Amino acid sequence: MIWWFQGDSKLGTTAQANIASPTNQVYVSAASVWEMSIKRQMGKLKAPLDIEEKIEQAGFIKLPISLFHGQQAGALPPFHKDPFDRMLIAQAQAEGLQLMTRDTYFPEYGIKLIHASE
């Protein structure tokens, strides 16, 4: 999402087309915003302070974290240790969503993926 807002070339043309397509709904997890806020505060990420406003302006759908998502994230096999990524995986499984990433551990969970760099 940050690559999208910044026009970063790390986001591949296929990934960009998927985000831009008016036939696709783009969800942004509260876990992603939470992680970005932490990394911004630590100086590890340049992210806008008004990220929620940018998400709304882009027409993206906010995906809250539910108790069920939390339970599912905690029950996932330990292929991936990052709690934010585990939440994204659990949300994708629970909501039947495709997940855009370039993380190499995500395929282990059998979810539908869109490679962010392609």
Side-chain angles (χ1 to χ4, degrees):
M1 180 181 53
I2 292 294
W3 293 346
W4 173 258
F5 289 134
Q6 294 175 346
D8 195 313
S9 63
K10 291 179 195 167
L11 188 62
T13 55
T14 301
Q16 290 177 38
N18 275 291
I19 294 170
S21 173
T23 60
N24 290 335
Q25 293 180 316
V26 177
Y27 289 81
V28 179
S29 173
S32 295
V33 176
W34 179 17
E35 182 176 22
M36 286 186 298
S37 296
I38 290 170
K39 287 184 176 182
R40 182 182 54 235
Q41 183 183 34
M42 295 170 63
K44 293 182 175 184
L45 179 69
K46 289 185 180 185
L49 291 172
D50 60 343
I51 193 69
E52 183 176 14
E53 184 178 326
K54 290 200 178 299
I55 289 166
E56 289 173 356
Q57 288 173 351
F60 298 163
I61 301 165
K62 294 183 254 183
L63 181 61
I65 298 171
S66 71
L67 295 177
F68 182 74
H69 295 149
Q71 182 177 321
Q72 292 302 105
L76 288 172
F79 303 127
H80 205 309
K81 305 292 185 212
D82 183 292
F84 296 107
D85 288 344
R86 291 172 62 85
M87 178 56 68
L88 296 177
I89 292 162
Q91 287 181 306
Q93 288 177 338
E95 306 303 325
L97 301 172
Q98 286 184 298
L99 189 59
M100 185 175 289
T101 186
R102 67 178 189 173
D103 192 298
T104 57
Y105 289 102
F106 281 46
E108 297 289 331
Y109 291 96
I111 56 175
K112 296 177 184 175
L113 298 172
I114 299 170
H115 199 284
S117 298
E118 293 179 357

